[in-house]
Coordinates of all heavy atoms in Angstrom, one line a residue:
I16 N 3.6 22.5 -0.4 CA 2.6 21.5 -0.2 C 1.3 22.2 0.3 O 1.4 23.1 1.2 CB 3.0 20.5 0.8 CG1 4.2 19.7 0.3 CG2 1.8 19.5 1.1 CD1 4.8 18.7 1.3
D21 N -9.4 16.1 6.1 CA -10.8 15.7 6.5 C -10.7 15.3 7.9 O -10.2 14.1 8.2 CB -11.2 14.5 5.6 CG -12.6 14.0 5.9 OD1 -13.1 14.3 7.0 OD2 -13.2 13.3 5.1
A76 N -13.3 21.0 19.7 CA -13.1 22.4 19.8 C -11.7 22.8 20.1 O -11.1 23.7 19.6 CB -14.1 23.0 20.9
A83 N -6.2 26.4 14.2 CA -6.3 27.9 13.9 C -5.0 28.6 14.3 O -4.4 29.4 13.5 CB -7.5 28.5 14.6
A90 N -12.8 25.1 7.7 CA -14.1 25.0 6.9 C -15.0 24.1 7.7 O -14.9 22.9 7.7 CB -13.8 24.5 5.5
V108 N -14.3 19.7 1.7 CA -13.0 19.0 1.3 C -12.7 19.2 -0.2 O -11.6 19.6 -0.6 CB -13.0 17.5 1.7 CG1 -11.7 16.9 1.1 CG2 -13.0 17.4 3.2
F113 N -9.8 22.2 -4.7 CA -9.8 23.2 -5.8 C -9.1 24.5 -5.4 O -8.4 25.1 -6.2 CB -11.2 23.5 -6.3 CG -11.8 22.4 -7.1 CD1 -12.7 21.5 -6.6 CD2 -11.4 22.3 -8.5 CE1 -13.3 20.5 -7.4 CE2 -12.0 21.3 -9.3 CZ -12.9 20.4 -8.7
G117 N -5.7 26.4 -7.1 CA -5.8 27.7 -7.7 C -7.0 28.0 -8.5 O -7.1 28.9 -9.3
F119 N -9.8 29.3 -7.5 CA -10.4 30.5 -7.1 C -9.5 31.7 -7.0 O -9.9 32.7 -6.4 CB -11.1 30.2 -5.8 CG -11.9 29.0 -5.7 CD1 -11.8 28.0 -4.7 CD2 -12.9 28.7 -6.6 CE1 -12.5 26.9 -4.6 CE2 -13.6 27.5 -6.6 CZ -13.4 26.6 -5.6
D134 N -11.9 8.6 1.4 CA -13.2 8.4 0.7 C -12.9 8.5 -0.9 O -12.4 9.5 -1.4 CB -14.2 9.5 1.1 CG -15.6 9.2 0.7 OD1 -15.8 8.4 -0.3 OD2 -16.5 9.7 1.4
R164 N -9.3 -1.4 -3.4 CA -8.3 -1.7 -4.4 C -8.7 -0.9 -5.7 O -7.8 -0.4 -6.4 CB -8.3 -3.2 -4.8 CG -7.3 -3.6 -5.9 CD -7.1 -5.0 -6.0 NE -6.5 -5.6 -4.8 CZ -5.2 -5.5 -4.6 NH1 -4.4 -5.0 -5.5 NH2 -4.7 -6.1 -3.5
A176 N -0.4 11.3 -9.4 CA -1.0 11.1 -8.1 C -0.4 9.8 -7.4 O 0.0 8.9 -8.2 CB -2.5 11.0 -8.2
L179 N 0.0 7.8 0.0 CA 1.0 7.7 1.0 C 0.3 7.0 2.3 O -0.9 7.3 2.5 CB 1.5 9.1 1.4 CG 2.3 9.8 0.4 CD1 2.8 11.1 1.1 CD2 3.5 9.0 0.0
L184 N 2.8 8.2 9.1 CA 2.8 9.5 9.6 C 2.3 9.6 11.1 O 2.9 10.2 12.0 CB 2.0 10.5 8.8 CG 2.4 10.6 7.3 CD1 1.6 11.7 6.6 CD2 3.9 10.9 7.1
Q187 N 4.8 8.3 13.6 CA 5.8 9.2 14.0 C 5.3 10.2 15.0 O 6.0 10.7 15.9 CB 6.3 10.0 12.8 CG 7.1 9.2 11.8 CD 7.6 10.0 10.6 OE1 8.3 11.0 10.8 NE2 7.3 9.6 9.4
G206 N 8.0 -17.8 10.2 CA 6.6 -17.2 10.2 C 6.0 -17.1 11.6 O 4.9 -16.6 11.7
N227 N 9.2 11.6 24.6 CA 8.2 12.6 24.1 C 7.5 13.3 25.2 O 7.3 14.5 25.2 CB 7.1 11.9 23.3 CG 7.4 12.0 21.8 OD1 8.5 12.1 21.4 ND2 6.3 11.9 21.0
A231 N 7.7 17.3 25.9 CA 6.4 18.1 26.0 C 6.4 18.9 27.3 O 6.0 20.1 27.3 CB 5.2 17.2 25.9

Side-chain angles (χ1 to χ4, degrees):
I16 298 173
D21 179 345
V108 171
F113 282 104
F119 311 128
D134 196 334
R164 180 169 296 278
L179 291 186
L184 302 185
Q187 292 183 53
N227 260 29

